[in-house]
Amino acid sequence: MKQEAAGVQIPGGNAITLPEGSRIYITQMLGNSITAATDIGLVRITRDEADRLGITPKEEEQSTLPPDASLEDRVWDTLKAIYDPEIPVDIVNLGLVYGVEVITHENGKSHVHILMTLTAPGCGMGPHLMAEAETRALALEGVETVDVEFVWDPPWNQEMMTEEAKMTLGLI
């Protein structure tokens, strides 16, 4: 690494600083984050920190939605750019997002409520995935406020994954 970089330990979710000169091996570079194996274990690094590592991340895929897509469709689409740091599948296809509700206010701006879960209740990455979902939804035109609610019922299981996710993971 060219200089020290901030990251989040996987799966604990603890913020860490990788010292300059750390050895890293990229295991996945999807969405807005990079997962790297380091001497201290797996670490999630944001695109913003990638330059410090001497990495040029590939460009994020652009939305293929039509310009007149509903705000709800745009929220679902932006959530597909958030990847589980240990599994190369986005949180929508992984079945972690249970619902999106858009409430439009009189001022024309909207509140977005995202209902989601995790693959395991003790996952330390939950707050990071939640924050990224909130940030991405809030960045959409027309969104004024966002709240992300974690629920544990129904508990997540592999049957909640899309066929695409199962194929990616070699489950079918």
Side-chain angles (χ1 to χ4, degrees), residues 5-158:
V8 176
Q9 230 171 358
I10 301 169
N14 304 316
I16 61 161
T17 300
L18 293 168
E20 180 180 342
S22 294
R23 292 182 304 172
I24 62 166
Y25 304 94
I26 305 299
T27 60
Q28 126 177 334
M29 196 177 327
L30 300 165
N32 195 40
S33 65
I34 297 163
T35 300
T38 71
D39 290 336
I40 59 169
L42 286 178
V43 176
R44 182 176 192 243
I45 302 158
T46 65
R47 286 177 164 274
D48 296 337
E49 291 290 302
D51 189 49
R52 294 173 179 264
L53 302 172
I55 298 168
T56 304
K58 64 181 182 180
E59 290 297 317
E60 280 192 67
E61 292 182 23
Q62 297 300 312
S63 174
T64 57
L65 291 177
D68 61 344
S70 71
L71 180 54
E72 182 178 342
D73 287 344
R74 290 186 292 130
V75 172
W76 280 102
D77 188 57
T78 199
L79 295 175
K80 285 183 179 179
I82 303 171
Y83 285 80
D84 182 290
E86 296 177 283
I87 305 168
V89 176
D90 67 80
I91 63 173
V92 172
N93 282 303
L94 201 50
L96 298 181
V97 180
Y98 288 171
V100 170
E101 180 182 12
V102 175
I103 302 162
T104 304
H105 301 294
E106 289 180 14
N107 67 1
K109 297 284 186 173
S110 296
H111 171 77
V112 174
H113 178 76
I114 301 168
L115 196 63
M116 64 183 290
T117 194
L118 298 172
T119 55
C123 177
M125 295 306 294
H128 302 283
L129 294 174
M130 176 188 232
E132 188 171 351
E134 182 178 348
T135 300
R136 283 184 163 279
L138 199 52
L140 295 172
E141 185 178 334
V143 175
E144 184 173 49
T145 56
V146 176
D147 72 284
V148 180
E149 179 183 357
F150 275 127
V151 295
W152 307 111
D153 190 35
W156 180 86
N157 65 69
Q158 289 184 0

